[in-house]
Every structure is written in structure tokens, then in C-alpha cells.
Amino acid sequence: MPSDSSSGKDDVQEKRKERVDDSSSWAHPLSQLEEQKRIIRKPNLQDPGYIRQKASNKLWVRERLVALLDKNSFSEVGSVTGKPVYDDNGVLKLFTPANAITGFGRINGRRVFVTADDFSVRGGHADGGIQMKAPYGELLARKWRVPLIRLLDGSSGGGSVATYLTIGATYIPGMAGLGKSMDAMAVVPVASALLGPVVGLGAAKAVLGHFRWAGSFQTDKDYPETISLFAAGPPVVKQATFEDLSKEALGGWEIHAQNGTVDNVAESEQDAFNQIAAFLSYLPSSIFELPPVTQLADPPTRREEELLFIVPKRRSRPYDVRRLIWLIVDTNGSVDDPNSSTFCEIGKTWGRCVVTGFARLAGGPVGVLTSDCLVNGGAIDALGSQKSARFVTLCDHFGSVLFLPVDLFSESTSPKTAVAEPRRFARIRCSAAERMATIRHGASAMSALYNATVPIYTVIIRRAFGVAGGVFADPEDGAGTRVAWPSGDWGSLPLEGGIEAAYKRRLDTAESGEEREELMMGLLAKFEDVRSPLKTANKFGVEEIIDPRDTRPLACEWVVHAYEHLLPQLSLVRQNRYGLDSKPSSGRGYRL
């Protein structure tokens, strides 16, 4: 967005008379510097790019920084990066700032680094920017060990054919700083907010992060600038594949909120910034620190009576797993108020059979991973497996312990589920699971859990069947910390489906449906006694069965121990593994 220096013309001309180079001090060049800063930091209200930005119900880039960061905490890096235009007398008449703003700031007192796209300047394309400014910011975030936040709007410095005319040639595309993006991910938390159409290089940056947000808010009907993400825009796609698609149909926020490209959806830009702040509050500033512990008034010894009744006695009946989580984790108020809970869900709109998010127990951040029996009967599918693997990897990388309340029917490949449904539809869903390669994605979740170095606390709430049940109920292959509720129900196969498989010939001899059902019920009765979790505990097949009301006190005690005695050593291991990185050759170069 070119800034017009003619605004406030009389005052500016008056000041310029005083800014004469007296050749005895640096006052004159400093006054020139301040003049450029003044122009850049004020929007040009007549500029078409700014007009479109505001008409689209979007904040201007510097308004976003104000909304995101603590008051007066932003310290800009590259504050006068741009293209000044002077008249014949050497007086600045126009300044086009670079379409990326970078700098340090603070969120809730903690230092962060922000790179923010200015869509009002050439839609964020490279021909409106200064090369490598944003990648340098990502390098600074890594070196200074502070979280990186990207405010993405446009192509984030990506290519434009207009650049060919500027440089007089085409060029072979390079990484454009994406290597620095991946370097940053290895060291600091990276959060990206999609604040407009994010395309090309911007789309690549969006997925190279630990947390991605997109907005669902509506824009002005005369300027329908929506939140979207795609590798190439509709004109390029039409030329390549002959598909005539709108931005929404090609890569609207609804598409990516359901496929996992975007983690969370918010109703406004401010809501997005609040979610980013909440996400970062559970993570350390870098892998070289422990997650921040916050002491709350909620006593670790709190026991909730509702936990004794939350799991229905009838096994096929579902319950609200989020309510269960709220009853266990720390809260800032009443457990009946979800907004008071410390549980911060991640990925609610995709892989919905799995619930993931951060919470606190005795003030210590924990990663919560469980399944939702209200979705898919509690069976894990391909997207749920991907979501699980991604979340476990995130927690392990930044040293957050894992809390696993387990109620998992198995992978979504069995025709019999916990929630009764017509067999025909169950078979359809089963075949869909095979087509989606659920078992392969499930193996990724298994690998992530087994290879995690952070402590894992497992609570078997109800079901644990098959390979998937084993993965979540025994993620460390016999070496983990695990308890179970008296509602536990487990095995290599669920009895209902397993009996049908084991006694198929006998059941098929029944002359009527009623006789078959009677025979089935008789077989189930024989197995009911061995199904008791107490029988498993007698064989030390489960280490301990606990009163559900004791789950919070026990988990809190475990978390405190993990933060005091286990995580510090793991942090040292990560530091030694990563090494020194101030320069590529630091500590490894040849000494003359």
C-alpha cells in the first residue's frame, strides 16, 4: 500500500524547513529516518489496496499487530524496508513499504516474533516485497528461541509473473526461505493465522507450522475476499486442468477445516489471535525449555462425583467425552462452565472421532488424546489416526506429557460397532475405511506413541479392542503407567462380534432369527463373567483399577512428579541432540 506523504502537507512542509543538514550532527539523517517511519506507519486512506482491505471486513496489517500483541510491545525489524520515491529536490513524495512486516513483540508478557503479510501491497506478491525479509525473521525467531507467529494474507512473498519484466528474465524457482521455516519448526513453536486468500508460497508456509487457524467470518458482499488456501489460484488451475472454480470451491476454509490442513476455525481475527495466545501458553518458548507451569486455585485433590456415573452401564450407550475431560483437568472456575476449563481443543473440525488438545493438571501442561464415542461409534479412522500422530509428535517435540483417557473401539474396519446400526451401513463404512488406508495411518499413530520420549499416563475409561485398542491402552508396550476404571471392557475382539466369528457354524444352524438370537444371548452369558475387569486385574493384566473419582488426584500427582523429576532430563537430551546452531559451522568448523 503506497503511503502518500502529502497527508498533513502544511505541517510536514513546516517541519522540513527545520530539517536542514547542518553538517555538524546526525540530526538530519535521523529526521529523514523518522519521516519515513511516520509515513509507513500511517495508512493511506486513498489507496485502493487499503480500501479493499477494509471493505473486506479485514484489519490492516498494523491493526493486526496491535490486536495480537501486548500494548506497545512491538519492536520492528526492517522498519523502513520499502521503495521511497523522491522529487527533483530530494523531497520524499511517496513510499511503498514492503508487503511484509517483521519484528519482536510480547503476548501475555512472553516474547514472540511476528511476520505479517500486508495484502494491500500487491496482494503480498514478491514484486511488492523485499527479498528474504520474512525468512530472515524466521531465522531470528529460531536463534533468539522465541515462538514464531505468521499472519498470512496473500502469497506471502510468492512469485508473480510481473517480476519477470522487472528482472528481465524468468528464473528457476528456489525454496524462497522455506528451509528457514523448517529450521524454525525444529526449535520453536510456530503458529500461522490464515487471514485472507493464502496462495502459493503462503500456502506452503501455512502448513509448515505446529498450529494453523482459518477464519469463518463473512466479508462485505461488494468485496467478497474470503479465507482460503491453495497452491495455485483459480486462473492457474483453470489453465492447467480446465476446472473453473471459485476460491471457496478450490480451497475455502471449510474444505481445509475438515481435511486437517487447518487445525482450528475462529469467528473473527481477534478470536484467532486469542486462540494463538492460548495455544502458545501451553508450550515452551523453545525446545530448550520446559512447558510453563501455572499455579491455579483448583485443588489437585478435587474429586467429582459425576465421574462415577458418566459412563453408562449399558455398553452401547455413548457419553460426552469433553465433559469427562472438563471434570478431570484444572479449571479456573466451575466445571459446569466450559469457558473456565483449561482444556484447549485442537482440531475439533477434522478427524472428529479423536479429541486432542492441551490442558493443565496441577498447573502443568498436558496433551490430552482420546476418542469420541459420539462419532463413528468410537472407532478410529484414517483422519483420526493422522490427527493422533500429529498431536503426539507435537507434544513429544516440546516436552509436554500425554494424558490418554482410553475408550477406543478399534480401527474403523469392523462391521460391528459400539453404537447399533444396520449391518449394511456398517459394511459400507468398513469398506470405506479400507479404501482410506486406515490401517496404514493407524500405524503412524502407533509409531508416534511408541517412539514418544515424554511420559504417558493412560486411563482406560471403557473399551480397548484390537490393534488400535492396544496402541492407546498400552502405548509403551508394557512399560507405561496405566490404570483402569471399573467400566473397562477389553480384548482382542469385542465379545459381540468375536462370538459371531468364533461360533459362526453353530449360529448358522439356527432355524429362525429368534432361535439364533436366543443362542447368541446364551453364548454371551457364558462370557459375561470372564469379561469383568476384576478378572483381568486378578491376572495382573491391568495394573490397577481405580475409583473414577480418584482420577484427577492420581493424574495430578503423576504430572507434578513428571515435571520435577523426568522432564528436566529429557530437556537436556533434546538440547544435546540439537546442538549449537548460531551459525551452520558453529562448534563444527575448522580452527585455523
Side-chain angles (χ1 to χ4, degrees), residues 139 142-143 145 183 187 288 578-584 586 588:
L139 181 148
R142 173 178 62 83
K143 291 191 65 173
R145 310 287 194 256
D183 289 341
V187 180
F288 302 103
Y578 187 80
L580 187 66
D581 75 321
S582 59
K583 294 189 297 294
S586 294
R588 298 176 288 273

Side-chain angles (χ1 to χ4, degrees), residues 51-329:
I51 293 172
R52 182 180 181 87
Q53 185 84 356
K54 301 304 292 183
S56 296
N57 196 29
K58 293 159 62 177
L59 296 175
W60 183 45
V61 62
R62 292 188 180 273
E63 293 173 332
R64 287 170 174 166
L65 294 173
V66 171
L68 171 69
L69 301 172
D70 294 351
K71 187 175 181 180
N72 298 325
S73 69
F74 185 57
S75 176
E76 192 165 354
V77 175
S79 60
V80 292
T81 308
K83 300 172 183 176
V85 177
Y86 297 91
D87 62 18
D88 294 338
N89 298 318
V91 176
L92 181 67
K93 67 176 184 178
L94 191 68
F95 195 104
T96 302
N99 52 25
I101 297 177
T102 63
F104 291 95
R106 293 185 182 274
I107 293 180
N108 296 328
R110 191 167 72 164
R111 206 174 192 206
V112 299
F113 195 91
V114 184
T115 64
D117 295 337
D118 187 352
F119 188 76
S120 68
V121 181
R122 289 288 298 131
H125 289 300
D127 58 321
I130 301 297
Q131 191 174 18
M132 302 308 289
K133 180 181 179 182
Y136 176 72
E138 306 212 352
L139 181 148
L140 285 182
R142 173 178 62 83
K143 291 191 65 173
W144 285 94
R145 310 287 194 256
V146 295
L148 172 64
I149 301 171
R150 302 190 192 105
L151 306 184
L152 302 172
D153 195 356
S155 72
S156 196
S160 168
V161 294
T163 308
Y164 300 161
L165 296 178
T166 303
I167 64 177
T170 58
Y171 55 88
I172 300 173
M175 288 281 283
L178 292 179
K180 292 181 175 59
S181 299
M182 290 183 278
D183 289 341
M185 282 188 69
V187 180
V188 299
V190 179
S192 298
L194 282 63
L195 302 171
V198 178
V199 59
L201 182 61
K205 286 183 179 181
V207 296
L208 290 176
H210 303 109
F211 179 68
R212 293 163 293 276
W213 166 89
S216 62
F217 49 88
Q218 299 297 315
T219 59
D220 190 279
K221 63 180 180 179
D222 296 324
Y223 293 88
E225 200 66 82
T226 58
I227 310 299
S228 52
L229 179 146
F230 30 74
V236 179
V237 171
K238 184 176 181 181
Q239 180 68 24
T241 67
F242 306 106
E243 295 177 281
D244 191 3
L245 301 170
S246 66
K247 290 180 179 179
E248 297 78 17
L250 179 61
W253 67 267
E254 291 172 305
I255 293 173
H256 295 302
Q258 296 178 54
N259 66 21
T261 302
V262 165
D263 292 299
N264 279 22
V265 176
E267 298 178 354
S268 67
E269 294 193 23
Q270 187 61 62
D271 185 23
F273 303 151
N274 293 341
Q275 287 193 41
I276 289 173
F279 170 77
L280 292 177
S281 71
Y282 295 97
L283 295 177
S285 292
S286 75
I287 61 172
F288 302 103
E289 300 177 9
L290 295 181
V293 176
T294 302
Q295 296 302 325
L296 302 174
D298 193 7
T301 55
R302 172 169 56 84
R303 300 172 82 247
E304 292 294 339
E305 288 296 317
E306 187 178 339
L307 290 173
L308 198 59
F309 310 98
I310 195 167
V311 177
K313 292 281 285 185
R314 185 173 176 179
R315 295 185 179 95
S316 62
R317 287 185 177 173
Y319 58 92
D320 185 353
V321 72
R322 291 175 178 82
R323 174 69 179 172
L324 183 147
I325 295 170
W326 297 336
L327 291 170
I328 295 173
V329 303

